[in-house]
Amino acid sequence: MAEALEKPRTLPYVSAINEAVREVLNEYDNSFVVGEDVAGAGGVYGYYHGLLDEFGPERMYDTPISEEGIIGLGVGAAATGCRPIVDLMFMDFMGECMDEIANQLAKMRYMFGGRATLPVTMLTMGGAGASLAAQHSQSLEAWICHLPGLKVVMPTTPYDAKGLIISAARDDNPVIVCLNKMSLAIQGEVPEGSYSIPLGEANVVRQGSNFTIVALGRMLHEALKAAEQLKEFGIDTEVIDPRTLQPFDTATVVNSVRKTHRLLIVHEAVRFGGFGGEIAAQIQEQAFDYLDAPVGRVGAPFSPVPFSPALEAIYVPSADSIVAEARKLLGL
Amino acid sequence: MSKQISDEVLLDIHRRMVRIRIFEETAGKLAEDGKIPGALHLYVGEEAVACGVMVHLSNKDWITSTHRGHGHLIAKGGEFDRMFAELFGRSTGYCKGKGGSMHVSNLDLGMLGANGIVGGGPPIAVGAGFSNKFRKTKNVSISFFGDGASNEGAFHEAANMAALYKLPVIFVCENNGYGEYTPQANHQAIVDVADRASGYGMPGVIVDGMDAVAVYEAAGEAIERARNGEGPTLLECKTYRYYDHVGVRGMGMTYRTDEEVEYWKGRDPIDMMEARLAEQGILSKKDAEAIHEEVTKQVQAGVEFAESSPMPTPESLLEDVYA
């Protein structure tokens, strides 16, 4: 792996996903991919491209449009000795299969007194910005972070996409990987071969001294732009990518807040009831004395995701809206 | 009637049915006495289905069960002591007291759990069947479900996928005539759930679910087809639960008549089996009574084991959430 790290390549996020799945299928003979259009079409966003040719129809399965059947297949196969990768094309479709996710996949181990092991990796796509409207654009990570038994990761870069998917597949728990459709073309360094990123550890992407932004998913990139803009106000922003939402690495955020004394949380999901509220609560519980300002939150307004590009552009948080909220929070 | 069934198999089916009956009658009394917490869905009356199917299976064949799952686990080889301990919420239970009646399970016996969600099992059974095929075994998976669950979307998705992939799965519908308290005529426009099989491209078979031998024979054919790679079957067993959807009572209810209950009790699966065994000179009335007595003692020992078992420690609350 060290050798691989010496010769970094640049790849788009979509190819990093593809490489990760390939690594997993090579690493585990009992692993396979099931989902809608994953085999013949290579996935609707192309991230399974070439895997049918490479691994054959015994490892890559197209399914009917049956989300509950797909997740249930993953549960039953995992409980009986397989390590499946199940593809839920859009995160919005969780509504079709929430019983299998919430009542079967998440709970089976506990209900059975620890006697079932469910190494299921579920890849799913979220995020707004492509004019796919209200049913194909949501960020519903808060739904699944609320379910004990699941782990939830949210890769923001090509490097993270590959490493977190491999880590998810190696983990003996069900792990839901929340991918982002607007990040598919993002380029970044991706080592060849297999590597993992520890689940439950946040990544301090940018060091700073007097302001912290925790940014989920694609919002990381907007937060980094915002951090540059905030420099002109004398703000030196630390940016944290949680990478894993469940289990959440509270300690890294607490350590940052002890240093910077101010925190803003940014996510693409609707602000009300979003995951940011949980982070804010944890920080006020654990770092109240270190805070010099209320914890701020940036998220989508309380409406479904709109279709029109004109509306969607103001719906999704951006570097500008992050800067605006930061200035309000900091009294600038 | 394809081939002669051995005395050994008939006696095996009989004993499994008696084990379920006495366990369930005892569990019902304990629940009424307030000794078993939570909800109990008793399998009494439906024993022929679980036992007629299960004698064909090994521990490597998987089953998914329902909220009415005690009978399935007993028929699959579940032990009374650990089952009662689970129902009592004790740490010695199959699920360490974390699942209870509605989630009692034992993966070592190939039992993927009772399931509190109606229709929760069929997709999981498809996954187990997929796994059997993927791992190139000759094992099958059985999904037990009710007439009520046949109206769930999950059943539809599972049946379609099993047929599409020709998976070694048998969908065993325990049609007891009621979805909870709603009679079948008020929850679906068909009389035979097996009619739905042709819509998925699999055979649909109807048997008398009170006749364990009929179930045994029909299940045997379906299981053989599955083991030979010929795909799934929908096997509908017409049966009846003597007690209510949940709890005991059963008689004097507004949603069904006592006459109806008496009619079905007149076709009791254990009585019918014992009459058959006596007629064929395999098991005398006296020998049958001895089996009931022996099982009663085993059940009592199971209750004593459960009652003397420790409650789970507070420390165990957060164990087993994650691997």
Side-chain angles (χ1 to χ4, degrees):
Chain A
M1 199 174 79
E3 192 187 340
L5 289 166
E6 281 164 19
K7 41 173 184 175
R9 303 163 300 156
T10 297
L11 283 181
Y13 188 89
V14 62
S15 302
I17 299 167
N18 184 278
E19 286 203 350
V21 175
R22 176 180 288 112
E23 294 294 342
V24 173
L25 292 175
N26 276 323
E27 190 167 328
Y28 296 102
D29 288 341
N30 62 344
S31 191
F32 55 84
V33 180
V34 283
E36 296 154 12
D37 296 321
V38 297
V44 292
Y45 284 107
Y47 45 77
Y48 301 110
H49 182 74
L51 298 179
L52 175 62
D53 287 343
E54 192 172 337
F55 294 97
E58 297 216 329
R59 309 288 298 280
M60 297 294 301
Y61 288 86
D62 282 328
T63 64
I65 302 172
S66 299
E67 289 81 8
E68 193 162 9
I70 294 165
I71 308 303
L73 190 157
V75 174
T80 58
C82 296
R83 193 170 283 268
I85 296 174
V86 297
D87 183 275
L88 184 66
M89 191 185 292
F90 289 99
M91 188 179 225
D92 312 70
F93 302 167
M94 285 198 300
E96 292 274 18
C97 52
M98 205 46 155
D99 179 64
E100 291 295 333
I101 294 173
N103 287 323
Q104 316 296 342
L105 180 63
K107 295 180 175 60
M108 189 184 268
R109 181 177 181 81
Y110 191 82
M111 292 189 301
F112 293 2
R115 295 187 171 101
T117 304
L118 295 161
V120 175
T121 302
M122 177 176 137
L123 302 187
T124 190
M125 183 64 81
S131 276
L132 291 176
Q135 298 171 340
H136 289 74
S137 303
Q138 297 170 87
S139 295
L140 299 171
E141 62 277 1
W143 288 14
I144 44 181
C145 288
H146 189 63
L147 296 167
L150 298 181
K151 293 187 179 180
V152 179
V153 301
M154 217 169 182
T156 56
T157 65
Y159 178 88
D160 283 12
K162 183 171 175 181
L164 287 171
I165 289 170
I166 292 171
S167 297
R170 287 178 180 170
D171 199 278
D172 280 340
N173 296 286
V175 184
I176 299 184
V177 182
C178 304
L179 301 165
N180 181 274
K181 61 177 76 71
M182 299 307 288
S183 302
L184 290 165
I186 286 179
Q187 297 279 335
E189 287 184 3
V190 179
E192 289 183 39
S194 201
Y195 63 93
S196 58
I197 294 172
L199 301 184
E201 288 184 22
N203 183 20
V204 181
V205 179
R206 186 186 197 276
Q207 300 278 344
S209 61
N210 55 15
F211 185 47
T212 300
I213 298 179
V214 172
L216 275 58
R218 184 169 76 85
M219 290 298 106
L220 171 71
H221 309 293
E222 297 302 313
L224 290 170
K225 283 185 231 165
E228 287 302 309
Q229 292 179 37
L230 287 167
K231 278 205 291 201
E232 68 174 275
F233 300 99
I235 302 299
D236 181 20
T237 308
E238 183 144 300
V239 180
I240 298 173
D241 173 2
R243 280 181 165 162
T244 307
L245 302 185
Q246 187 60 265
F248 186 74
D249 180 4
T250 308
T252 294
V253 183
V254 167
N255 287 338
S256 179
V257 168
R258 282 180 174 176
K259 177 173 66 176
T260 65
H261 309 295
R262 294 169 188 86
L263 174 63
L264 180 68
I265 301 151
V266 185
H267 57 56
E268 214 187 307
V270 170
R271 203 177 93 116
F272 189 102
F275 193 72
E278 178 63 33
I279 302 174
Q282 296 216 13
I283 296 310
Q284 68 86 16
E285 284 166 357
Q286 296 186 35
F288 185 77
D289 291 341
Y290 293 92
L291 287 167
D292 286 347
V295 175
R297 287 181 294 151
V298 173
F302 200 67
S303 88
V305 182
F307 164 68
S308 169
L311 294 175
E312 195 178 30
I314 54 172
Y315 178 88
V316 182
S318 63
D320 289 345
S321 63
I322 295 168
V323 169
E325 189 62 29
R327 290 181 61 186
K328 214 164 76 183
L329 194 70
L330 302 173
L332 298 169
Chain B
M1 186 118 4
S2 45
K3 49 190 165 189
Q4 188 69 31
I5 305 171
S6 72
D7 295 358
E8 199 185 4
V9 166
L10 292 172
L11 287 168
D12 187 1
I13 295 172
H14 170 257
R15 181 176 283 269
R16 292 187 203 214
M17 290 201 293
V18 172
R19 282 173 63 83
I20 295 173
R21 176 68 55 93
I22 296 175
F23 178 94
E24 292 289 69
E25 295 283 7
T26 307
K29 287 193 189 83
L30 290 165
E32 287 188 317
D33 291 348
K35 291 191 171 174
I36 293 176
L40 216 56
H41 305 84
L42 299 173
Y43 197 69
V44 176
E46 303 187 15
E47 294 91 344
V49 182
C51 301
V53 172
M54 235 68 88
V55 285
H56 291 287
L57 307 181
S58 79
N59 290 349
K60 290 185 174 175
D61 293 309
W62 297 99
I63 66 163
T64 62
S65 174
T66 68
H67 54 287
R68 203 174 304 289
H70 310 163
H72 300 134
L73 182 50
I74 292 170
K76 198 85 169 61
E79 298 290 340
F80 293 149
D81 52 358
R82 298 186 65 196
M83 286 189 67
F84 272 121
E86 189 57 37
L87 266 50
F88 275 74
R90 307 300 166 114
S91 64
T92 52
Y94 273 128
C95 308
K96 303 183 194 168
K98 289 175 175 171
S101 166
M102 271 192 283
H103 307 293
V104 67
S105 64
N106 183 348
L107 270 66
D108 292 338
L109 295 174
M111 200 284 192
L112 287 162
N115 205 313
I117 305 296
V118 172
I124 296 172
V126 167
F130 185 96
S131 169
N132 286 333
K133 190 173 178 182
F134 180 83
R135 292 181 292 111
K136 299 184 170 30
T137 71
K138 282 278 181 192
N139 296 114
V140 299
S141 70
I142 313 277
S143 172
F144 292 94
F145 65 103
D147 49 305
S150 75
N151 297 331
E152 290 277 8
F155 167 71
H156 172 66
E157 295 189 16
N160 180 55
M161 287 173 80
L164 174 73
Y165 297 141
K166 271 199 160 184
L167 297 180
V169 178
I170 297 93
F171 296 95
V172 177
C173 180
E174 298 174 323
N175 183 351
N176 64 18
Y178 291 87
E180 295 198 5
Y181 301 95
T182 300
Q184 192 191 357
N186 291 356
H187 76 64
Q188 53 192 193
I190 53 172
V191 173
D192 299 321
V193 174
D195 286 352
R196 292 187 170 169
S198 64
Y200 301 113
M202 69 173 88
V205 179
I206 300 170
V207 291
D208 178 357
M210 307 305 269
D211 180 350
V213 173
V215 174
Y216 172 82
E217 289 180 333
E221 284 175 28
I223 290 167
E224 195 178 332
R225 283 189 68 246
R227 291 200 202 281
N228 290 336
E230 294 168 53
T233 301
L234 171 51
L235 175 61
E236 178 181 6
C237 306
K238 307 280 192 185
T239 184
Y240 199 77
R241 58 167 165 73
Y242 294 176
Y243 298 123
D244 279 334
H245 162 65
V246 62
V248 182
R249 197 161 164 189
M251 301 292 271
M253 304 300 290
T254 54
Y255 72 98
R256 67 182 190 185
T257 64
D258 288 355
E259 290 73 32
E260 180 183 289
V261 181
E262 292 299 348
Y263 165 78
W264 283 92
K265 283 185 177 174
R267 305 194 62 249
D268 184 79
I270 295 173
D271 288 350
M272 291 204 302
M273 179 61 113
E274 287 179 358
R276 179 194 295 260
L277 292 172
E279 192 186 319
Q280 293 181 11
I282 300 169
L283 187 74
S284 70
K285 195 163 183 267
K286 204 177 149 203
D287 288 344
E289 279 168 11
I291 290 172
H292 284 255
E293 276 169 32
E294 183 193 339
V295 172
T296 301
K297 279 182 195 153
Q298 291 167 350
V299 164
Q300 286 311 323
V303 174
E304 280 160 28
F305 172 84
E307 286 185 318
S308 62
S309 286
M311 284 292 182
T313 59
E315 296 76 48
S316 72
L317 174 69
L318 297 180
E319 290 169 4
D320 304 319
V321 180
Y322 291 98

